[in-house]
Amino acid sequence: MAKHVLITGFEPFGGEKVNPSELVARSFEGRLIAGRPLAVRVLPVETRNVRERLEHAVGETSPDIVLCIGQAGGRSAMSIERVAVNVLDFIQPDNAGVIRRNDPIVSGGPDARLSPFPFAQIVSAWAENGVPGYVSNSAGTYICNQTLYEALGIAERVSPPIIAGFVHLPYLPEQAAALAPDRTPSTSLDLMKRGMEILIETVVPWVEQRTPDRGPARTTTKGPHMWIPRGVKEIER
């Protein structure tokens, strides 16, 4: 059976008509990149049942790479997330009207989980191909952070092992134009699609070259000394 790459995006939310993560994810439906069939799921922007939805998608598609995508309005370029923290602290409700304040994602769970993605290689490949991008040390405290946290937890538990990561996308130009175009950064849909293609082309051979007994990155330490990245309350969507 061919190994798959599972790509997830999000529906629009917060009154917006479009979410670039959904458009980018759907553009990969049925495609083959780096020899891998791509499976796509678009998730609701709802805090409830995030883990169950991801587990169902993983069970249906049997991937060894899970790549989640979300929108981060205000960011100037594509950003790959290094860490997810075990906290939800919404500044606006989700699409079901739910607001969570200073809640753990998983009660008693690790304070943070780290993605094992090859960050330096990805950013270097983006730069070589003219795609602006960088490593982010905060996925926020909204649904995107929750999705990465749960995806990394699933990756730790399943067998055979999988790896998981998360990329935030800027606004589309039409979104920026409807807000404050003089100070709202944006990126074209085509450039974001190309950036994701490059990321997959980079990650797949890296995964295939890993030693068979190397598992995904484990969690950070628990307890009162948890490190919370600067900008953790940055708006992410």
Side-chain angles (χ1 to χ4, degrees):
M1 181 181 296
K3 295 179 180 179
H4 286 69
V5 177
L6 171 63
I7 301 174
T8 72
F10 285 105
E11 64 183 8
F13 84 109
E16 297 180 3
K17 297 180 179 180
V18 66
N19 188 324
S21 71
E22 176 180 9
L23 301 181
V24 171
R26 290 194 186 282
S27 74
F28 290 114
E29 186 73 67
R31 291 187 57 187
L32 194 74
I33 297 179
R36 296 295 188 91
L38 308 183
V40 173
R41 298 291 185 273
V42 175
L43 306 175
V45 181
E46 296 179 7
T47 187
R48 61 186 178 186
N49 301 325
V50 169
R51 183 192 312 166
E52 289 79 1
R53 292 189 188 97
L54 288 171
E55 287 176 336
H56 183 70
V58 168
E60 282 187 327
T61 59
S62 299
D64 64 337
I65 301 171
V66 177
L67 176 55
C68 305
I69 316 172
Q71 172 186 295
R75 294 197 185 183
S76 59
M78 298 174 63
S79 49
I80 182 162
E81 299 295 346
R82 191 192 306 273
V83 60
V85 294
N86 190 15
V87 63
L88 294 174
D89 196 16
F90 298 178
I91 63 171
Q92 60 183 325
D94 68 9
N95 278 359
V98 175
I99 285 191
R100 298 180 67 176
R101 299 284 193 191
N102 199 32
D103 286 341
I105 296 171
V106 177
S107 182
D111 291 328
R113 289 172 171 153
L114 298 173
S115 171
F117 269 32
F119 300 102
Q121 294 95 313
I122 292 167
V123 172
S124 176
W126 279 343
E128 290 171 2
N129 288 273
V131 177
Y134 63 96
V135 178
S136 167
N137 291 318
S138 172
T141 55
Y142 195 51
I143 310 298
C144 289
N145 174 67
Q146 181 180 8
T147 299
L148 177 57
Y149 188 89
E150 294 286 21
L152 291 170
I154 292 168
E156 293 175 356
R157 297 190 299 269
V158 299
S159 181
I162 65 176
I163 68 166
F166 197 103
V167 174
H168 267 125
L169 306 178
Y171 280 138
L172 293 163
E174 54 265 39
Q175 291 175 289
L179 296 168
D182 59 328
R183 58 180 184 275
T184 304
S186 64
T187 299
S188 73
L189 182 61
D190 286 344
L191 188 59
M192 289 192 275
K193 290 178 183 177
R194 181 60 184 141
M196 296 308 301
E197 289 173 349
I198 292 166
L199 186 151
I200 296 167
E201 291 167 352
T202 301
V203 171
V204 167
W206 177 81
V207 168
E208 292 174 347
Q209 292 167 9
R210 300 173 88 200
T211 56
D213 61 345
R214 182 185 299 174
R218 295 306 179 187
T219 59
T220 62
T221 57
K222 293 179 61 178
H225 301 296
M226 182 178 83
W227 170 73
I228 300 294
R230 179 179 297 178
V232 72
K233 294 178 74 65
E234 178 179 10
I235 298 173
E236 53 83 17
R237 303 173 180 179

